[in-house]
Amino acid sequence: QVQLVESGGGLVQPGGSLRLSCAASGSIFSISAMGWYRQAPGKQRELVAVIARYGGSTYADSVKGRFTISRDNARNTVYLQMNSLKPEDTAVYYCEAQIQRPFREYEDEYWGQGTQVTVSS
């Protein structure tokens, strides 16, 4: 089995910072892309940022210049550093990973359980 566990969410004032972490564990052969998505109440889930195994990354326009995605391949962990947070960043944040398990020739998509980020004064 494979599990993704997120941490680091919480309540922060506008202009503040948070760092999210997501660690993958279990029966893992390799991980290619890892990413962060978010879903605000009444809205569809949207991509925040994604990072390839060796570092290439893509960001949603709404977070460019404020959020930074990074990963530690040795720890199977992806991070999201969020600075200059705005109330509109309030959402449940989910991590996602494309994981190849041992003895399989394809990747499966896995999701974390989500962590709440609330930006409010």
Side-chain angles (χ1 to χ4, degrees):
Q1 297 293 341
V2 172
Q3 197 172 19
L4 271 62
V5 178
E6 299 125 334
S7 61
L11 173 65
V12 64
Q13 292 186 342
S17 297
L18 281 175
R19 189 191 194 209
L20 305 182
S21 300
C22 173
S25 62
S27 181
I28 297 171
F29 177 71
S30 67
I31 304 177
S32 58
M34 303 184 81
W36 289 95
Y37 292 72
R38 66 186 181 187
Q39 188 167 19
K43 295 187 177 182
Q44 289 188 328
R45 190 174 297 189
E46 63 175 1
L47 173 70
V48 176
V50 63
I51 185 167
R53 178 168 179 80
Y54 296 111
S57 57
T58 301
Y59 295 89
D61 287 343
S62 59
V63 307
K64 283 181 181 177
R66 300 188 298 122
F67 291 10
T68 302
I69 190 170
S70 61
R71 63 189 285 175
D72 182 338
N73 290 332
R75 299 176 184 268
N76 290 335
T77 299
V78 63
Y79 306 96
L80 186 68
Q81 177 67 42
M82 304 185 293
N83 299 328
S84 302
L85 282 159
K86 304 175 181 180
E88 51 264 43
D89 294 317
T90 296
V92 178
Y93 283 69
Y94 298 90
C95 73
E96 179 267 352
Q98 301 290 330
I99 296 175
Q100 183 179 356
R101 298 180 63 185
F103 310 111
R104 297 191 180 186
E105 297 181 354
Y106 55 88
E107 294 177 332
D108 288 307
E109 182 179 63
Y110 292 88
W111 290 87
Q113 80 286 355
T115 185
Q116 177 70 46
V117 171
T118 302
V119 185
S120 175
S121 55

